[in-house]
Structure formats: C-alpha cells, structure tokens
Amino acid sequence: MREIEYREAIKEAIIEEMDSDRRVFLIGEEIGVYGGSFKVYRGLLDRYGPERVINTPIAENTIAGAAIGAALTGYRPVAEIMAIDFTTLAMDQIVNHAAKIHFLSGGNVNVPLVIRTQGGVGKGVAAQHSQSLEAWFYHVPGLKVVMPSTPYDAKGLLKTAIRDDGPVIFIEHKKLYSVKGGVPEEEYTIPFGKAEVKREGNDITIFAYSNMIIKSLEAAEELSRHGISCEIVDPRTLVPLDINLLVDSVKKTGRLIVVSEACSRGSVASDISARVTERAFEYLKAPVKIVAGLNTPIPYNSTLERASIPQVNDIIEAAKKIL
Amino acid sequence: MVVLSDKEAALSDRKKIWMLEKLIEIRKFEEKAILLYRAGKIWGYLHPCIGQEAIPVGACCAIKKGDYIISNHRGHGHCIAAGADIRKMMAELFGKSTGYCGGRGGSMHIIDMEHGILGQNGIVGGGIPLSVGAGLSCKMDKKGSVTLCFFGDGASNNGVFHEALNMSALFKLPVIYICENNMYAISMSSKDSVACVDIGKRSCAYGIPGHIIDGSNPIEVYGAVSEAMELARGGGGPSLIEAKTYRFYGHHTNDPAEYRSSKEVEYYKSTKDPVVNFKRKLLEEKIITAGGIQEIENKLDRKIEEAVTFAMDSPEPELDEFLKEIKE
Ligand SMILES: Cc1ncc(C[n+]2csc(CCOP(=O)(O)OP(=O)(O)O)c2C)c(N)n1
C-alpha cells in the first residue's frame, strides 16, 4: 500500500467529498492562499475557488455559527478552527447551538457540520497553543468527537464525518501531520463507534488515542522485550465510543492503562476508567492505571513541556506497576 | 485633529533621542532573536515587529508611571518601549528560569507588572477585553492613569473588539486603543478582512475620537497618543488610533510570507523604515550627529550581547520545583 502523510490523507478525504457532493464547502481562517496553518488545504483554493474555500477574518464564534447556519439551510460545511485552544472562542455556537438543535427540534432538524481543529503538545508553543481540550466536547451531549491517530483512520473517518448528520468535532494532533502511514488508493470509509486494536496482546490493555497511540506502540514494543504483552485499543471516535471492544479486551487481559495527553482532572481518561470499572470490575486484577497529562498549563521550556505530558517511559513504568 | 507641530514642539531633544534609542533597541533585539531562533536556541512562535517599531515607541513616549500596557503576540516592541528589561526578555525566549515567566511562557507571554505590562497574548484579541477592566481600575483609582491597548488589524475583526470599545465608550474609560494595521493577519490582507476602508473610522460606531496615522513615524504616533491621553486623563473616555504600518518579516520566524509581492515589501522597506527615517530626521534637525548615532548603536550592541550572555548563562527552570507546584 502506498504511504502518505496524515495531512495528505485529510486533504484526500476533503477532495473526494467535495468532488462528489457540491454541498460540501470549507470555511475558516488562513485556508486560502496560505493553505491552512498546517498546510492541509494547500492547492484547494485553486481547485475549488473562493466560493467553496471561504477564508474568513479572525472570528471563531462566527465561523462556527456560519457553518451551523449553512448546515441548517442545505449545505455540509467543514469549518476549520485553527487550534483547539481557539475553539474556546466558539463554544457558544458549538455547545449551545450545534449540539442542541437536533434535540430541540424534536429530532426533525440535522446539523451536518464538521469542525476540524488540532491540539496537543510538542512544538514549544506554550500554554495557549498546546492544549488537549477533547474532554470539553466529550462532555457535551449532542456532539460527536473523532480523534484519529493514523493517516488511514484520518481519511476514512473524515469522509464519514462529512457524510454524517453531525455535528462532528474532528480533532487532529499537531505532531501527527507529517507522520506517514498506509492509505489505499481505493475509496473507503470508517464507521463511527468502531474501535481498532492497534496491537494484540494478553497481559495489559492500553487504551489510547491520537498521538498517544504512537507512544503506546513504542512502549508496548519495549515491554514485549521484557516478556510483557500489551493490547492497544484505539477508540478512533470518543463519541460514539466502542466501549464493548474495550471491555472485551480488559476481560481478556485483566489490566487496563488509560493513556491521554490531556491533563487528568475531569478527563476522558478518568471517565473511561470509571466506565470500564463499572462493566468489568470482577475481571480486573489490578486497579486501572491512568497515565495522563499533569494538571498544569503547558510550559514553554522544553524540559518542563516534556514533563507535563506522558512519555513512553511513563507508560512502561505504569505497566510494570500493575503487573 | 491633532496638530503635529504643536505636539512635536513639546518634545525635547532628549525625548527624541530616547525615541531613537528605543527604535534601535527593539530592532536589534529582534534581529538577534531571529538569528538565535534560526540557530535553534529559541523555539515555539516568535513574531517580529520589525518595521512597526515606531508605534510602541511613539506611544510609550507618552506614558507615565502607573499607566498600563496591554500587548499581543507581536509584543517585544511594546515591552521594550514600556521599559522591560531585555535581559529578562531574552532569558524568557531561551526558556530560562530568570526570564519574565520563569521560562514558562516564551516570546508570546511576557508579563511585567513593574512596568504596567499586563501581558502579551497568544490569543488574537485576547487582551482587548482586559482593557475594560484595567480602564475601570484606572478610573476607580482616580490617579489619572491610562491603559494602552495594542492589537492588530486582524484582531479588530473579532467580536471582543466591538464589545470592549462599546463598553469603554459607555463607561468613559481612560483607554487608548491602538490598532497596528500592518495590512496582514498572517496571510490575510486587511483589504479582504475589514469591511470598511479604515479601521480608525470604526470609532464612529462608538462615538469616540478616531485617529488614522502613519505608524512609521514615532512623532506622529506620539502626537495622536498624547492627544488621546489628555482626553482620557481628563475623564473624556477612550480613543481609537489606527496606525498604518508594515511588518518587514513574515508573520513569524517560520513564515516565508509568500503571499506578499517582493515589490510591495521593497516599497515599505525603502520608504517606511522607522529606524532609517528617524535617524535621518534627527540628523537633519541636528539633534544628533552621525558619531552620536554610532555611539548609540555600539552601546545597544553591547546591551544586546549582555542580554544574550545573561540568557545563556542562566539556569534552566527546576523540574522538581515545577512538579512540586502541581498539587494533584
Ligand atoms: C483567537 C485566535 N485565532 C487565531 C489565532 C491564530 N493567529 C495568530 S496571529 C494571527 C493573525 C493576527 O493578525 P493581527 O491581529 O492583524 O496581528 P499581526 O499578526 O498582523 O500583528 C492569527 C490568525 C490566534 N492566535 N488566536
């Protein structure tokens, strides 16, 4: 299979969906000549013109609102919020409107909308550009939350997101854009709510998503050299969540480590831990271990930055502790 | 209408030389920082204000102790003009413990309460609402203090700009809104992002004075800001100043700025360089000699080198201390 970058995979999904459905359009900051701040949209302005690649002023709440308005009136917008840190400025439209309209209409009205954004640590961009805020969206009923870890998943899930009746929050990781992976030439989609086992194992289940999949795979490789076999479960979509696959894996291994870059307090990780404990308590041979970001804003200094989120070694240490 | 000659007449030669020094200090600080960034000593985002130095310099020439400064991501100039210590700034860019943020913030987050600098900001428009609170404090303190709020053309399209100007006007707050219109927000031309021609004219919507000035001339900036200061200190409320300017570099150190024509860049560099133009002006007015300028340059070169040495020699932040602070 050919290998392409995560950013390319996302762009291919956009192109295929825009080519097949004229209702799909793009809206956001710096998505025109600049091609998006991570160059995902390079060339799309030339290909589709300014009517379908709408470059906006810096106004996140109105970008989200405009996308909702268009979604209500027959279009299928893909809005980009340049960084998840800036979705905080769009929270009213996302939380009070996008997430509620379907419900409030008695299920009669859909909001077929995708909001693409990126988060995460790793480039020294400090406290206002490094956050992992997926728990905010995970918390709000009415939103779907997608966090792909590979180019393959990114493409297949984004195509599904665009065809979905929404609203979908599609969260990328800034460290993943240049990561390459196999993506077939033929068309495919990946359904929401279907986790994938990224590595099979018997001793410990590791639940991770987004960039933490890469670190978990490294940790599992290292642990296998010490005779410890890890099974890595990537949910791919946090909402809807494939809890059954995870619970089945935990029933098999009897141990669970939940890895998340986001800080631990009020996190997806702590919720997963609670949900698995509820469903598989009698199978657990050790308490669930959470390996998460520290409860701190992300520092600029590279040593402190590294220390504030899980590293491969933290996962290895956690595994040794619960065995 | 600001009568520039009156404002200029009020400026002593000493003040003009201060302006020149600050212009050169900002320029040299950032040129050095860019080199250090390229050498891998500084990382993250670094947004140079080279080309725009006359705005912070002209504006801060009008401030007094007790006034507040609100900055943004392109804020080295605001900090230096307001009196920040470039050793602590450079140390912050290096992520060292002696930096203004103890190495936790980097280029975009310098905060220095000693000089009333309430912070740079990584969120576009993020500082604008703070101006209302700082303005309220100034008003309640009754000491005649004023808040200067700097932001870009891009930020002026965000809702917070409109909310804050309306509220400041309503409460007659002593705030001066200084829009540094460098014609671009990253790649987006302000022609394509601002629905009216001049951002300064948005003042009409809030019933406050608006000034549209040449931001490459520190005297002109000083003139408009000091006029707005008089109004603000007298209880007359806020003003909006649009200073037309140009950034000579890309949006940040990793941006090649392919969206601008080289002809355009050359035009501004050759006609609107605040450092070059102000040197020429002071020479023509015989306020300073070429030798005098050289002395300033040498002095500032040494000062920048000292700042770099200070930053390099400073210790990294203690990891243990950082971890200890995180209680749970
Ligand atoms: C709320 C928010 N949206 C988007 C960004 C990304 N961003 C950083 S600087 C910038 C452009 C700002 O333009 P302007 O306000 O004109 O200031 P300039 O960079 O031109 O000095 C953008 C879009 C951000 N940091 N914060």
Side-chain angles (χ1 to χ4, degrees), chain A residues 295-316:
Chain A
N295 293 314
T296 172
I298 303 299
Y300 167 70
N301 174 279
S302 60
T303 308
L304 304 192
E305 188 201 62
R306 266 184 67 79
S308 59
I309 60 161
Q311 302 299 339
V312 174
N313 207 41
D314 299 316
I315 304 169
I316 294 172

Side-chain angles (χ1 to χ4, degrees), chain A residues 29-30 58 60 82 86 89 129, chain B residues 47 52 72-74 122-124 151-156 158 180 182 184-186 247 251:
Chain A
E29 294 162 18
E30 295 299 325
I58 305 166
E60 286 77 11
M82 197 184 280
F86 316 151
L89 285 93
H129 286 75
Chain B
H47 304 87
Q52 308 183 191
N72 63 355
H73 57 286
R74 203 175 300 288
I123 300 299
V124 170
F151 53 90
D153 45 288
S156 80
N158 199 283
E180 301 177 293
N182 60 15
Y184 291 88
I186 311 186
R247 62 167 152 77
H251 172 67

Side-chain angles (χ1 to χ4, degrees), chain A residues 3-4 6 26 40 70 85 87 96 107 133 136 140 142-143 161 186 194 219 249 267 283 314-315:
Chain A
E3 298 226 320
I4 60 172
Y6 190 82
L26 311 176
V40 171
D85 314 76
T87 62
N96 292 322
L133 298 179
W136 290 32
V140 174
L143 300 176
E186 317 75 64
K194 275 232 158 309
S249 173
S267 62
Y283 295 87
D314 299 316
I315 304 169

Side-chain angles (χ1 to χ4, degrees), chain A residues 30 33-34 55-60 82 86 89 123-126 128-129 265 294-296 299-302 304-305 307, chain B residues 42-45 92-93 95 103-106 108-109 121-123 158 185-188 193 316-317 319 322-323 328:
Chain A
E30 295 299 325
V33 283
Y34 204 65
N55 200 30
T56 70
I58 305 166
E60 286 77 11
M82 197 184 280
F86 316 151
L89 285 93
K123 290 182 178 279
V125 291
Q128 293 174 339
H129 286 75
R265 190 160 56 228
L294 302 179
N295 293 314
T296 172
Y300 167 70
N301 174 279
S302 60
L304 304 192
E305 188 201 62
Chain B
I42 297 171
W43 74 326
Y45 286 135
E92 189 52 44
L93 269 52
R104 294 172 187 200
M108 226 170 12
H109 296 289
N121 213 311
I123 300 299
N158 199 283
I186 311 186
S187 77
M188 197 179 210
S193 74
E316 293 279 325
L319 181 58
F322 167 71
L323 296 176
E328 34 167 345

